[in-house]
Amino acid sequence: MGDTGPTGPVMDRDEVDRALARLGAEHEAIETSLFALQDHAGRRLLEGAELTGVTAERWSAVEASITLLWSYFDAYTGALRAAREIRTRRRWSSREDLVELTELLRGESVTVAGGADPAGGAGRLSERYSLAALVDRMNQLYATSLDMVVAADAVWSALPARIDLLAAELRRTRELAHSVGVRPGEHPAGDDLERITRTLTRLREQVVSDPLAFWRPAEGSSAPGGGRPDTTVYDREARALEDVRREIDAVLAVRQDAEQRIVRLRDVLSRADRTLAEARTARGEVLAKIAATEVPVVSGPPTVLQEQLSAAAEYRRHAQWHRLSPLLESLEEKAEDELLRARESLTAVTAPLAVRAELRGRLDAYKAKAARLGLAEDPELVEKYEKARRMLWSAPCDLRVAEQAVLRYQHAVAELLGSAPRVPGQGGPVDRSGLGPGT
């Protein structure tokens, strides 16, 4: 017999021993992996679950793969046992033993009964493999099976527990919402809680029956279980529940300080009413005292605000906090606007009186200045002053004419000051009474 055969050069005893040692280590590693897969929590859950959708389809294929894996492993075990028996026949293997071992260890010497194709194709009656090819095939089947089991287990480990926690928070929020009158059909937040409840219930059912529908494989990763659970729907509903909770907290805050806010609203509206009443009184005074002036009409207080305030008090009495909350916010803004409008109305109505007061003050100021400079007895100034004074202190007062009279008095004082003799070395005019320089 030559040195070569159908599988290449005949192996010597050292090569056979090294090959058997390597194959034995691989056998032990494969056996450990298969038992780990058999005992994997995800696999046990998949076996007992009522699966649907993509998970049901993939699990059917993986079950077939796991069955094939054990068939391949049994065949591999048998081939390895046969090779070891041949090697242990003699301490020094014969030429015939080495040829037989070379064929067994390197050739397609393992026949495996055909089974269902995990990919869905037609199965074959039997298949022949070399031990190396059989190891590669088992590794492929193991990787795809483990990937599916790990992915399903990761989703089941992550999402149902989180959904249950969110559902518990949802129940507490619904109870709190009910206590403050936030109910479906009566408040948008109540409708949101109902929608979130339906969505979470449906989401949990889908996650339990079809976990792979919520798995996102990692791009570019070939490692089994590479990826992450898809929490998009869960995250959206968690945010929606947080928004509802903030709204309910706002309603609770209303319940706590509703009385104070209603008292403040009454005070603001009362001040606005008093200011408008003052403006109406002032308008009558202006019409009586000021002539030839357009005085704006003062409107009455809006009754709708008082009606809404009464409605707010009713909501508080009947603990309808979800209705009271938006009404108070709207009323507070409108009440401040109403007070501002009343103040602006009073300012606009009393503007002519303010102008008259300013003219009176200016006239008296110039008279005092003229007196300090000794010009108070000047006949022209006295005449102009008295004329302006009669206009400003009589009713009705024509502001345009009175302003001209005040201006004429100012100009007359300025002219006299400009023509008064000066004391040498001083810039100020001389006091005509001879008592000293003017001040």
Short mmCIF file of all heavy atoms in Angstrom, two decimals, residues 421-430 436-438:
data_model
loop_
_atom_site.label_atom_id
_atom_site.label_comp_id
_atom_site.label_asym_id
_atom_site.label_seq_id
_atom_site.Cartn_x
_atom_site.Cartn_y
_atom_site.Cartn_z
N PRO A 421 -31.41 145.55 34.45
CA PRO A 421 -29.99 145.92 34.56
C PRO A 421 -29.21 144.87 35.33
O PRO A 421 -29.74 144.17 36.17
CB PRO A 421 -30.04 147.24 35.33
CG PRO A 421 -31.34 147.24 36.05
CD PRO A 421 -32.29 146.49 35.19
N ARG A 422 -27.94 144.69 35.00
CA ARG A 422 -27.08 143.69 35.60
C ARG A 422 -26.07 144.35 36.54
O ARG A 422 -25.63 145.46 36.31
CB ARG A 422 -26.34 142.89 34.52
CG ARG A 422 -27.27 142.39 33.42
CD ARG A 422 -27.07 140.94 33.19
NE ARG A 422 -28.10 140.44 32.26
CZ ARG A 422 -28.72 139.32 32.45
NH1 ARG A 422 -28.49 138.62 33.53
NH2 ARG A 422 -29.60 138.89 31.57
N VAL A 423 -25.71 143.66 37.58
CA VAL A 423 -24.67 144.14 38.50
C VAL A 423 -23.32 143.82 37.86
O VAL A 423 -23.10 142.72 37.41
CB VAL A 423 -24.78 143.42 39.86
CG1 VAL A 423 -23.64 143.84 40.80
CG2 VAL A 423 -26.12 143.69 40.48
N PRO A 424 -22.42 144.83 37.77
CA PRO A 424 -21.12 144.58 37.14
C PRO A 424 -20.42 143.38 37.79
O PRO A 424 -20.37 143.26 39.01
CB PRO A 424 -20.35 145.88 37.40
CG PRO A 424 -21.40 146.91 37.60
CD PRO A 424 -22.55 146.23 38.25
N GLY A 425 -19.92 142.52 36.92
CA GLY A 425 -19.20 141.35 37.39
C GLY A 425 -20.08 140.17 37.73
O GLY A 425 -19.58 139.14 38.14
N GLN A 426 -21.44 140.34 37.63
CA GLN A 426 -22.35 139.23 37.89
C GLN A 426 -23.24 138.99 36.69
O GLN A 426 -23.55 139.92 35.96
CB GLN A 426 -23.21 139.51 39.13
CG GLN A 426 -22.37 139.63 40.42
CD GLN A 426 -23.25 139.79 41.63
OE1 GLN A 426 -24.42 139.51 41.57
NE2 GLN A 426 -22.66 140.21 42.74
N GLY A 427 -23.64 137.78 36.54
CA GLY A 427 -24.47 137.45 35.37
C GLY A 427 -25.93 137.61 35.66
O GLY A 427 -26.74 137.70 34.75
N GLY A 428 -26.35 137.64 36.94
CA GLY A 428 -27.77 137.68 37.25
C GLY A 428 -28.32 139.09 37.24
O GLY A 428 -27.59 140.07 37.37
N PRO A 429 -29.64 139.26 37.10
CA PRO A 429 -30.28 140.57 37.09
C PRO A 429 -30.30 141.18 38.50
O PRO A 429 -30.14 140.48 39.50
CB PRO A 429 -31.69 140.28 36.59
CG PRO A 429 -31.92 138.84 36.98
CD PRO A 429 -30.60 138.18 36.89
N VAL A 430 -30.48 142.49 38.54
CA VAL A 430 -30.50 143.22 39.81
C VAL A 430 -31.92 143.27 40.33
O VAL A 430 -32.87 143.46 39.57
CB VAL A 430 -29.96 144.66 39.63
CG1 VAL A 430 -30.07 145.44 40.93
CG2 VAL A 430 -28.51 144.58 39.17
N GLY A 436 -30.59 143.97 46.70
CA GLY A 436 -29.46 143.08 46.40
C GLY A 436 -29.72 142.31 45.13
O GLY A 436 -30.76 142.49 44.48
N PRO A 437 -28.78 141.51 44.74
CA PRO A 437 -28.94 140.74 43.50
C PRO A 437 -30.08 139.78 43.60
O PRO A 437 -30.41 139.27 44.67
CB PRO A 437 -27.61 140.04 43.35
CG PRO A 437 -27.01 139.97 44.71
CD PRO A 437 -27.51 141.18 45.44
N GLY A 438 -30.69 139.50 42.45
CA GLY A 438 -31.79 138.54 42.39
C GLY A 438 -31.30 137.13 42.60
O GLY A 438 -30.12 136.83 42.49
#
